[in-house]
């Protein structure tokens, strides 16, 4: 089933190569239909998950040896941690296919790339083999570059494409170096890229601390660059700023989560000592993401740049969840990943719609759009509010869990300081830029340029409704996912449990309560 | 000091460097090519000397091949230079820079 | 006596070598070629001193005789004039000299270590028969390859220098 | 088991209405309104039912167990959705659904002309849902969630007329200010959870009972952080600035949110978690300058300052809704002060009565504004007594209640606070009395100017009484405004806060004179303050054509009119903090990270490439030289 | 002596002679068709080579020639490369005014040289076979006599090639002098004592530098861009694939077949420097480049550096990675040149701008070129990715001393993506030129492009068999 989910888009991409380029409607129909089918399959997977039999804690497992001499096999399977990501990816892919109608040139190539990207993303998340895990990601990454370069818009297109390409390549390569090092830690003959077996092996035979530190650093910064960890984040807002909508949705929403997923799936369970050594650094960098990028977002006049920066800020929460070295935090991180996937896709999708409706993303030139575009406006309001952590949306739950986890986490002598700063960033700074955007874009009198915009037709609403519904559904019933995450996280991650920082701050005086 | 192997070697080393210098400082392709012959000869000298002092004729045999190869190379090279000269009326290296950077 | 001859031939070789490369009096290619002939001939002397008689003969016959004649022939054919002193930048000269000097110094310093050749005594006699035997047994394969090489060279020269190809 | 499910029904009814309106009945404003009103009416009935069923079972504060849902679970953290039904929440349920229901009804008339009526009613229903959530919450996190939702819905409602710049700005400000408070609230929750490992109110309370000093040095900080939430929501100094601006929203919204319910949530929350303030107090080292203060002291101080400041500002406002807004602020300050003086019962009591008469006042004001076609300046009103009798009467009753004139409800509740202040701290008592006098003064001013005298503008001259759908709620609200003092609400609450203590039941007549019996000085001084305030107002405004005070007070008046420049100070503060930080971060991002580092690296690489390829001159000689140089380099490295 | 060992070479050489002779009798208009015959014959030889078994090393000519798994692997490799190049040459033939048969036969002779080089077990054979390759390429590079660039490239290749030959011979002389032998097998036995002998080391160094010319690595990398640009497209491809692979075959054979490990180990540093400088030089210089052939030239330098990673790793995984990467490189480069040859011929320019609008003019060519560039850039699922993966893996495996090199390699990959994507960008989104007439793609090019694509995909998607070949082949190395 998983293999079908992965292969369906890839096969469809092959199929599309055979369709003559003039038949754009056929091409679009195939792309949308296939992604819809894929989404339904993924949803089926989601609902069949609980009942399915598990092998080593993974379900829907499929395994085909591929390069036995190197211990590489095609090995897919899901547990609670990647299930949500796979489903989210499939849903976002469908939404992205839906909004691709905005593409006016070379539709055929665009849709092929989109499908390839989808297949790659889903494959990366479903893989339980390190090598495939990495390959699928690369496989999805390249279409991203091409799509941004080819169909992107804006003056800075070339520079942005260049930047995103170089950045992500370097990040991926650093991570690859780390992964290979990890692979080599086992004695010759036993080496395997099988994540499950590696995890088990390294739990029993821990790697030397010095090696752990090195590998963790490589993975942290390699994956970190992929996820726009501060200060390697500048590619993200710019890249998304110029990217075509569907690409931005898929990349910011789904593909970017690959790095975070890698940290959770690989770095944390296999390199516990390295994690302990590096998370204090990571915790500081999170602040860079959440606070600093939040401030940067406050200054943006371009809606896409604002969303891009805020998306950078959001992944900071996932990083903090990872840095917390606490199961609550990690659960939260996974939830943030899924939630932000929907949210980023939604935001970029809406922003893309606005751009095509009004011809500009400059917020100073727009205003009062809520009157003109009630549906899109409302959806955008919801997206922006979800972004600043309003309950009812999945993001809130994730961020809450992250903060709870980080508060108790034993990663640093002053966890409370980070959480306080992060909460400030998430509650106040996020609200500042989100409301500012609403104020400029949607509220206030309607400007001339906004006056001619048309609201979305029913069909154009489908992707947005779907994404919003997913966000709200998970926000209201988080246990749909957290229960699954919880079980898997407990099974794979072992943190020094129970160590909680004492209240720590010494008492100067205790005033008797006046009563 | 009786003349030993190292004497020959030093001569060959100096000759080798002379040839190299020629390649670097002369601007006429033909002269450069002659300098290269000088370098090959230097290597030959070393080979013969080694052959003698190692009591092993393999070195001399390689010289034999080197000379043959050099001859063939010279033939081809000069033909090439002539062909180029016919086209460009020059053998000056500074005129042979239609491809660069 | 042999040592004296060595020094004479060595000095001649080097002197002529210098004159090939950097003749202070003439930059005419013909001069260079002539000095190259001289170098080769004096080197043949060195070969003789090393008891490589056959090679000495080959050196003179093939190199001085055939190769250098080819060179001279081409130079004459092309009617090459004296190399013009076009913008000879002293920079390139100095850096070139420095690079070559460095290589020379390094190589010479390495080679000039009598200790490393302490055990070696002059022994081999470059007898034609021995050479021939080796050539047609052990080195038969390279010999054949060289024949192929010569064929290639022939074909190449014809291709490159025919005035008009059919 | 009906009553097991009743809290769920109460809570979800408005939500269902909100969702249904949003999804299905956007086009039909009328139907939306009816849906929304119906939902809240049903919720009210259900609340009454719940009240009736639960009250006999409420043995003191023992909470009835209700259907629980595990909402979120992670290793070591479990968040349960469970609804808490005790006296406190039952009372609030009635207020929220009752007063709220009346306001819904009133809106039906008030918003009849609005073209996005559906959106308005959806917001109203959603707000009711969120507010009920706060009331019923049994858990810090659940409360926080609804807390946020209330903030969100108030944002939507204040910004209902978002096309107006001022409304758009106001809603933004309200949300942001609330967010500041929530920040503290969340940290407080985290702090408490981090130490006690519990989130349910009862569990935390139980833990604290077992380990009274368990929180140790962070006790006061925890209390204060939790109070931050209340500070934002109840608009207490220094986070009070948003409330007056929030008057940009439709008037019923002001009545609902900014008088009866939302702003009361802060006080309610403080009462709910009052046990947090009863543990031994201490500050951590880095806050040692606060030694000597308890968290409650800070609460009381904040409330006191708010009460006084707002009352002073109200004296010099001309906008009818702003006067009421500042009055609300001031009264909220009263309540918070009461909590701070360790009298949650008194605070809740005042909250209850205040909800009635302040809602009434707002609705009355709304009626006036409606009648005058959105004229809000009291100096352009006048003589409305004859034109709008129903409004006039109800407004009068509410004013009297607010001023604390016996036997109106406000008198009793305010008296409790006065008595409490007198008992605790003389300073607060003086302050409270002063505020009482100011309250009477500005309310009388409002009343004289707006309702009496001659019409000062054309629209005031042509005013009509509002339609029935608006006046009926006014009348209905007037009833509790007048009589709420006799219902025994205070004893009802006393049993919540002091379970087990013998509390005598009083008859209505006894109830009426209880204040004089209980704390005669406070009651009498309070009355004196009212009298003083009234007479001063009468002297100044009985026949005034324009405000005489600015001339008399000069600079002070200007400061009052400009709300003591808090807005200016805050916007300045924001400018030098976040704006500056944002600018700095943006600059850094643009020039250092993206510019110097990224572009620099890009540029350097390209430059190096361009430079390096100059080596490739095409000249054989250079090539030979480079080869030689490379060889020399390699030789040097490896033969050295 | 077992002459049957060299039967592959003999057959190939015979084929070369036949083609040369056939020229005499064939009418001019049929000469082009000779290429088909040659390609078919080469294919036959290739098939025949598959029947060879070299699981145990066999020697001939008094140990100067060896046929072992490594040699056989490279022979097949060269044959395959030659077949594909031959196909491209047939297509290219009409641009050569005359000497078509010679064009083919010289390629075959170069192939013979490569095949001998793969089996060299003696410095003499090494030198002679290398010279056969080099001299043949002098002629081939300058084959388009009518073009100044071709001749100029020939002269440059000539001078620098001769320079490298001189260095190589000098190095051989020193090695011979100190070890007293020319034979690799004997050298293996004797070299152990010589690891402190600086003359020996100098000699070895010079030999390595001489081989660096063949593989276009630092410090002998400078010729590559000019020669690649000037040479006819199929010849450039053959240079990039065959000549380079021959260099690597000899380098591997020499370093790990003819020298004991403790003698080679100290050279790691040298090889690392060579690798690092090559990677950076190739990458950085290519960035501002406009000529596609030059870009490939620079990229060839960079790739030489990458392949050196596998050599420098000095473990069998590294050698296997070298072989594997070369296989991928073969298909990739030939795919690229199949396109380049066709596209540049019409405008007689190889500026990157001729690719503008290629996707409209010929989607097949555009796709082929894109795949080739993507593979070169090292992106899955194509051959280049897996090759680079194996190279990086082997270098990491070699230990922490290699980490800095790894960092350079990563930087190099990032830089290379920059210019490879520049080409893709030109194909797809530079403003299309006025002339968008479709390019007619001859069947031959279609076939070779298809073979290359299939090869790239096969190696990338199902690397297991090829990896096994490579692993088997390097078993003879230490």
């Amino acid at each position: 089933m998983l293999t079908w989910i992965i292969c369906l888009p890839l096969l469809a991409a092959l199929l599309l190569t055979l369709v003559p380029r003039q038949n754009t409607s056929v091409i679009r129909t195939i792309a949308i239909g296939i992604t819809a089918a894929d989404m339904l399959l993924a949803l089926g997977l989601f609902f069949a998950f609980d009942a399915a039999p598990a092998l080593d804690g993974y379900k829907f497992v499929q395994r085909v040896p591929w390069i036995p001499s190197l211990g590489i096999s095609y090995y897919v399977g899901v547990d609670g941690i990647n299930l949500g990501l796979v489903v989210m990816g499939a849903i976002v892919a469908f939404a992205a296919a839906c909004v691709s109608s905005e593409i006016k040139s070379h539709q055929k190539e665009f849709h092929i790339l989109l499908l390839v990207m989808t297949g790659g993303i889903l494959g990366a998340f479903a893989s339980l083999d390190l090598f495939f895990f990495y390959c699928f990601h690369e496989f999805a990454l390249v279409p991203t570059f091409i799509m941004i370069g080819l169909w992107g818009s804006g003056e800075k297109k070339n520079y942005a494409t260049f930047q995103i390409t170089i950045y992500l390549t370097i990040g991926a390569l650093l991570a690859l170096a780390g992964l290979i090092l990890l692979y080599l830690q086992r004695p010759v003959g036993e080496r395997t890229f099988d994540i499950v077996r590696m995890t088990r092996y390294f739990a029993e035979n821990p790697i030397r601390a010095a090696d752990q530190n090195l590998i963790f650093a490589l993975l942290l910064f390699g994956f970190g660059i992929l996820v726009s960890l501060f200060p390697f984040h500048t590619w993200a807002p710019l890249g998304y700023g110029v990217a075509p909508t569907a690409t931005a949705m898929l990349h910011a929403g789904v593909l970017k989560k690959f790095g975070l997923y890698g940290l959770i799936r690989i770095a944390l369970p296999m390199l516990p000592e390295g994690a302990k050594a590096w998370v204090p650094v990571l915790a500081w960098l999170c602040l860079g993401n959440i606070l600093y990028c939040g401030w940067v977002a406050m200054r943006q006049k371009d809606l896409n740049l604002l969303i891009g920066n805020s998306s950078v800020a959001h992944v900071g929460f996932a990083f903090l969840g990872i840095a917390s070295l606490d199961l609550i935090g990690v659960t939260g991180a996974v939830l943030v990943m899924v939630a932000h996937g929907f949210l980023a896709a939604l935001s970029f999708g809406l922003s893309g719609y606005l751009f095509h409706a009004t011809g500009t993303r400059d917020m100073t030139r727009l205003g009062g759009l809520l009157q003109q575009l009630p549906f899109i406006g409302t959806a955008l309001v919801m997206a922006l509010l979800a972004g600043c952590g309003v309950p009812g949306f999945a993001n809130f739950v994730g961020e809450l869990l992250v903060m709870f986890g980080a508060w108790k986490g034993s990663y640093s002598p002053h966890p409370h300081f980070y959480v306080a700063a992060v909460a400030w960033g998430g509650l106040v700074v996020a609200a500042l830029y989100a409301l500012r955007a609403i104020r400029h874009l949607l509220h206030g009198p309607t400007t001339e340029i906004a006056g001619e915009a048309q609201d979305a037709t029913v069909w154009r609403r489908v992707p947005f409704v779907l994404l919003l519904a997913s966000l709200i559904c998970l926000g209201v019933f988080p246990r749909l996912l957290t229960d699954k995450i919880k079980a898997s996280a407990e099974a794979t991650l072992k943190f020094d449990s129970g160590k909680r920082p004492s209240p720590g701050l010494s008492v100067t005086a205790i005033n008797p309560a006046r009563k | 000091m009786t003349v030993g192997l190292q004497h020959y070697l030093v001569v060959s080393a100096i000759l080798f460097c002379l040839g190299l210098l020629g390649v670097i400082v002369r601007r006429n392709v033909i002269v450069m090519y002659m300098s290269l012959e000088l370098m090959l000869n230097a290597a030959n000298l070393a080979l013969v000397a080694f052959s003698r002092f190692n009591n092993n004729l393999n070195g001399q045999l390689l010289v034999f091949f080197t000379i043959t190869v050099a001859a063939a190379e010279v033939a081809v090279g000069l033909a090439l230079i002539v062909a180029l000269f016919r086209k460009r009326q020059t053998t000056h290296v500074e005129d042979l820079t239609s491809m660069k950077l | 006596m042999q040592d004296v001859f060595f020094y004479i031939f060595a000095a001649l070789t080097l002197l002529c070598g210098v004159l090939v490369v950097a003749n202070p009096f003439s930059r005419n290619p013909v001069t260079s070629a002539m000095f190259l002939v001289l170098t080769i001939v004096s080197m043949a002397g060195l070969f003789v001193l090393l008891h490589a008689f056959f090679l000495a003969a080959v050196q003179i016959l093939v190199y001085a005789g055939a190769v250098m004649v080819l060179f001279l022939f081409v130079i004459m054919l092309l009617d090459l004039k004296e190399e013009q002193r076009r913008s000879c930048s002293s920079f390139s000269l100095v850096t070139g000299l420095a690079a070559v000097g460095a290589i020379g110094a390094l190589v010479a310093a390495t080679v000039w270590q009598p200790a490393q050749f302490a055990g070696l005594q002059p022994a081999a006699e470059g007898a034609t028969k021995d050479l021939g035997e080796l050539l047609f047994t052990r080195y038969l394969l390279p010999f054949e390859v060289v024949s192929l090489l010569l064929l290639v060279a022939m074909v190449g020269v014809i291709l490159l220098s025919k005035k008009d190809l059919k | 088991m009906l009553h097991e499910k009743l809290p769920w029904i109460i809570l979800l009814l408005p939500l269902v209405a909100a969702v249904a309106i949003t999804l299905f009945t956007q086009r039909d404003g009328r139907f939306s309104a009816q849906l929304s009103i119906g939902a809240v009416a049903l919720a009210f009935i259900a609340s009454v039912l719940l009240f009736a069923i639960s009250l006999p079972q409420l043995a003191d504060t023992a909470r009835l167990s209700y259907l629980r849902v595990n909402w979120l679970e992670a290793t070591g953290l479990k968040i349960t959705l469970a609804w808490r039904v005790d006296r406190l929440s039952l009372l609030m349920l009635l207020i929220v659904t009752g007063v709220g229901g009346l306001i819904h009804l009133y809106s039906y008339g008030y918003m009849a002309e609005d073209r996005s009526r559906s959106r308005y009613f959806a917001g109203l229903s959603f707000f009711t849902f969120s507010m009920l959530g706060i009331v019923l919450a049994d858990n810090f996190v659940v409360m926080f969630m609804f807390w946020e939702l209330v903030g969100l819905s108030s944002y939507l409602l204040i910004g209902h007329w978002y096309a107006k710049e001022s409304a758009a700005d106001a809603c933004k400000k309200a949300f942001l200010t609330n967010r500041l408070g929530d920040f503290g609230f969340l940290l407080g929750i985290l702090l408490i959870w981090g130490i006690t490992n519990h989130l349910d109110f009862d569990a935390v309370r139980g833990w604290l009972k077992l380990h009274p000093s368990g929180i140790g040095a962070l006790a006061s900080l925890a209390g204060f952080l939790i109070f931050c939430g209340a500070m934002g929501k109840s608009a207490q100094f220094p986070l009070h600035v948003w409330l007056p601006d929030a008057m940009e929203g439709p008037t019923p919204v002001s009545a609902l949110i900014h008088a009866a319910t939302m702003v009361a949530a802060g006080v309610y929350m403080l009462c709910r978690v009052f046990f947090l303030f009863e543990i031994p107090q201490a500050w951590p080292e880095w806050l040692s300058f606060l030694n000597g203060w308890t968290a409650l002291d800070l609460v009381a101080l904040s409330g006191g300052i708010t009460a006084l400041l707002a009352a002073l500002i109200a004296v010099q406002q001309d906008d009818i809704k702003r006067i009421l807004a500042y009055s609300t602020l001031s009264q909220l300050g009263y309540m918070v002060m009461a909590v701070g003086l360790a009298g949650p019962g008194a605070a809740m009591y005042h909250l209850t009565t205040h909800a009635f008469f302040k809602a009434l006042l707002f609705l009355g004001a709304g009626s006036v504004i409606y009648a005058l076609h959105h004229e809000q300046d009291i100096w352009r009103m006048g003589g409305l007594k004859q034109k709008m009798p129903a409004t006039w009467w109800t407004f009068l009753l509410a004013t009297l209640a607010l001023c604390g004139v016996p036997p109106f409800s406000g008198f009793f509740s305010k008296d409790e606070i006065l008595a409490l202040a007198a008992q605790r701290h003389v300073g607060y008592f003086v302050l409270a009395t002063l505020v009482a006098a100011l309250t009477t003064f500005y309310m009388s001013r409002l009343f004289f100017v707006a309702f009496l005298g001659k019409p000062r503008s054309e629209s005031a001259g042509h005013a009509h009484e509002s339609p029935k759908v608006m006046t009926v709620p006014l009348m209905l609200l007037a009833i509790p405004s007048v009589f709420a003092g006799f219902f025994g609400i205070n004893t009802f609450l006393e049993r919540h806060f002091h379970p087990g203590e013998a509390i005598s039941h009083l008859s209505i007549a006894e109830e009426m004179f209880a204040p004089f019996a209980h704390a005669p000085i406070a009651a009498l001084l309070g009355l004196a303050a009212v009298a003083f305030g009234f007479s001063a107002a009468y002297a100044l405004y009985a026949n005034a054509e324009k405000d005489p005070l600015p001339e008399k007070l000069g600079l002070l008046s200007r400061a009052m009119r400009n709300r003591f420049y808090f807005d200016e100070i805050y916007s300045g503060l924001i400018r030098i903090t976040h704006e500056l930080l944002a600018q700095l971060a943006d600059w850094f991002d643009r020039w250092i990270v993206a510019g110097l580092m990224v572009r620099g690296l890009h540029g350097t690489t390209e430059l190096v490439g361009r430079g390096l390829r100059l080596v490739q001159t095409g000249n054989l000689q250079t090539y030979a030289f480079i080869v030689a140089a490379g060889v020399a380099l390699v030789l040097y490295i490896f033969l050295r | 002596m077992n002459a049957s060992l060299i039967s592959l070479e003999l057959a190939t050489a015979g084929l070369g002679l036949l083609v040369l002779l056939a020229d005499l009798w064939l009418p001019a208009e049929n000469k082009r068709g000779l290429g088909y015959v040659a390609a078919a014959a080469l294919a036959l030889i290739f098939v025949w080579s598959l029947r060879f078994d070299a699981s145990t090393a066999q020697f001939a000519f008094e140990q100067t020639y060896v046929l072992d798994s490594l040699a056989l692997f490279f022979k097949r490799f060269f044959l395959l490369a030659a077949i594909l190049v031959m196909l491209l040459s047939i297509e290219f033939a009409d641009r050569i005014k005359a000497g078509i048969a010679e064009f083919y036969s010289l390629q075959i002779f170069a192939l013979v040289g490569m095949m001998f080089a793969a089996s060299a077990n003696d410095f003499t054979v090494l030198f002679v076979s290398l010279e056969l390759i080099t001299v043949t390429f002098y002629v081939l590079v300058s084959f388009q006599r009518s073009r100044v660039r071709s001749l100029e490239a020939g002269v440059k290749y000539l001078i620098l090639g001769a320079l490298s030959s001189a260095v190589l011979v000098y190095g051989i002389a020193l090695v011979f002098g100190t070890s007293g032998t020319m034979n690799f097998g004997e050298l293996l036995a004797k070299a152990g004592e010589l690891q402190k002998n600086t003359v020996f080391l100098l000699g070895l160094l010079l030999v390595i530098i001489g081989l660096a010319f063949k593989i276009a690595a630092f410090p002998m990398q400078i010729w590559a861009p000019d020669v690649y640009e000037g040479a006819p497209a199929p010849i450039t491809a053959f240079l990039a694939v065959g000549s380079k692979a021959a260099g690597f075959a000899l380098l591997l054979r020499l370093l790990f077949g003819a020298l004991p490990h403790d003698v080679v180990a100290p050279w790691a540093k040298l090889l690392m420097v060579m690798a690092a400088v090559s990677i950076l030089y190739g990458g950085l210089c290519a960035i501002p480049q406009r000529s596609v052939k030059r870009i490939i030239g620079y990229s060839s330098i960079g790739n030489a550096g990458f392949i050196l990673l596998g050599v420098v790793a000095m473990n069998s995984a590294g050698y296997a990675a070298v072989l594997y990467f070369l296989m991928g490189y073969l298909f990739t480069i030939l795919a690229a040149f199949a396109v380049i040859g066709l596209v540049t011929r019409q405008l007689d320019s190889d500026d990157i701008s001729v690719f503008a609008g290629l996707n409209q003019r010929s989607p097949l060519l555009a796709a082929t070129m894109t795949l080739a560039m993507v593979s070169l850039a090292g992106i899955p699922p194509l051959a280049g990715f897996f090759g680079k993966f194996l190279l990086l893996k082997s270098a990491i495996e070699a230990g922490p001393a290699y980490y800095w090199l790894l960092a350079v390699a990563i930087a190099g990959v990032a830089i290379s993506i920059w210019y490879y994507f520049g080409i893709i960008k030109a194909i797809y989104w530079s403003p299309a030129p006025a002339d968008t007439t479709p390019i007619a793609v001859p069947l031959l090019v279609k076939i070779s492009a298809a073979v290359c694509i299939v090869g790239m995909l096969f190696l990338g998607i199902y690397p297991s068999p090829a990896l096994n070949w490579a692993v088997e082949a390097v078993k003879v190395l230490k």
Side-chain angles (χ1 to χ4, degrees), chain A residues 352-360 373 449 452-454:
Chain A
Y353 186 91
L354 283 186
F355 179 63
H356 280 267
T358 61
T360 179
L373 311 167
I449 196 167
E452 291 153 18
Q454 299 285 316

Side-chain angles (χ1 to χ4, degrees), chain A residues 163-312:
Chain A
Q163 205 186 7
I164 196 170
T165 310
I166 297 296
Y167 252 105
L168 296 189
T169 310
I170 290 183
L173 285 171
L174 280 180
L176 178 64
L179 295 178
I180 294 176
L181 260 181
L182 195 59
Y183 164 78
L184 294 173
Q185 293 300 319
R186 275 183 90 160
V188 187
E190 291 178 34
R191 287 178 185 165
T192 173
F193 279 96
D194 180 335
I195 294 178
V196 184
R197 273 193 275 164
M198 281 173 93
T199 313
R200 206 182 304 134
Y201 178 84
F202 290 130
E204 287 159 13
N205 312 289
I207 306 167
R208 279 194 314 129
D211 291 340
Q212 287 205 18
N213 290 350
L214 174 71
I215 302 174
F216 195 89
L218 280 173
L219 293 183
L220 175 63
F221 291 106
F223 285 138
I225 292 173
L226 296 179
V227 198
S228 62
L229 175 65
F230 175 84
F232 312 106
H233 62 277
T234 48
W235 60 268
L238 203 59
Y240 298 148
V242 304
T245 311
T247 314
M249 286 168 76
L250 264 181
H251 191 273
V254 197
L255 191 52
K256 207 178 171 189
K257 306 297 177 294
F258 168 82
L260 294 167
Y261 173 65
L263 284 178
I264 295 177
R265 173 65 88 213
I266 294 157
L268 287 188
M270 300 191 200
L271 307 162
E273 293 302 318
K276 270 183 213 149
W278 278 100
V279 284
V281 178
L282 181 57
W284 275 107
L285 297 180
C286 292
L287 296 192
N289 271 71
I290 299 175
L291 271 178
Y292 170 90
C293 291
W295 283 323
V296 174
M298 278 176 66
R299 297 284 306 166
Q300 302 307 320
K301 294 192 175 61
D302 181 300
L303 180 60
N304 252 10
L305 287 183
L306 182 138
I307 297 174
N309 272 304
S310 91
S311 136
V312 173

Side-chain angles (χ1 to χ4, degrees), chain D residues 22-36:
Chain D
T22 314
L23 291 185
F24 306 115
T25 69
Q26 278 287 8
R27 307 264 155 95
D28 188 349
R30 232 175 109 82
F31 183 68
S32 300
Q34 286 160 358
L35 201 64
S36 173

Side-chain angles (χ1 to χ4, degrees), chain E residues 147-237:
Chain E
R147 284 176 71 233
V148 175
R149 287 180 173 227
S150 185
L151 288 172
E152 199 181 306
V155 169
K156 283 175 179 170
Y157 192 55
L158 171 76
I159 299 287
L160 293 169
L163 183 61
S164 87
S165 296
V167 172
L168 181 72
V169 180
Y170 203 80
I172 292 176
L174 294 183
V175 171
F176 163 72
T178 43
S179 68
T181 179
M182 286 281 182
N183 191 282
F184 289 173
E186 290 168 30
L187 188 60
L188 181 60
K190 287 186 184 166
E193 311 156 9
L194 296 168
Q195 52 177 309
K196 291 275 179 271
N197 187 325
T198 46
V199 180
F200 176 72
L201 296 182
L202 174 64
L204 213 50
L205 187 58
L206 292 178
V207 172
I208 294 174
I209 291 172
L211 289 177
F213 174 81
K214 286 270 121 200
I215 60 180
F218 173 81
M220 288 286 195
Q221 85 288 14
I222 198 110
W223 58 274
D226 287 11
V227 175
Y228 277 44
E229 185 184 352
I235 299 309
T236 312

Side-chain angles (χ1 to χ4, degrees), chain A residues 233 388 408 436 439 490 506 511 514, chain D residues 75 165 169 197 281 285 297 579 589:
Chain A
H233 62 277
C388 55
K408 258 196 183 171
R436 204 168 273 214
R439 171 73 185 82
E490 279 170 1
S506 67
N511 303 327
R514 265 198 279 158
Chain D
T75 318
E165 302 264 4
D169 287 335
N197 230 352
Q281 299 284 299
E285 203 159 344
D297 288 341
E579 290 287 337
D589 213 46

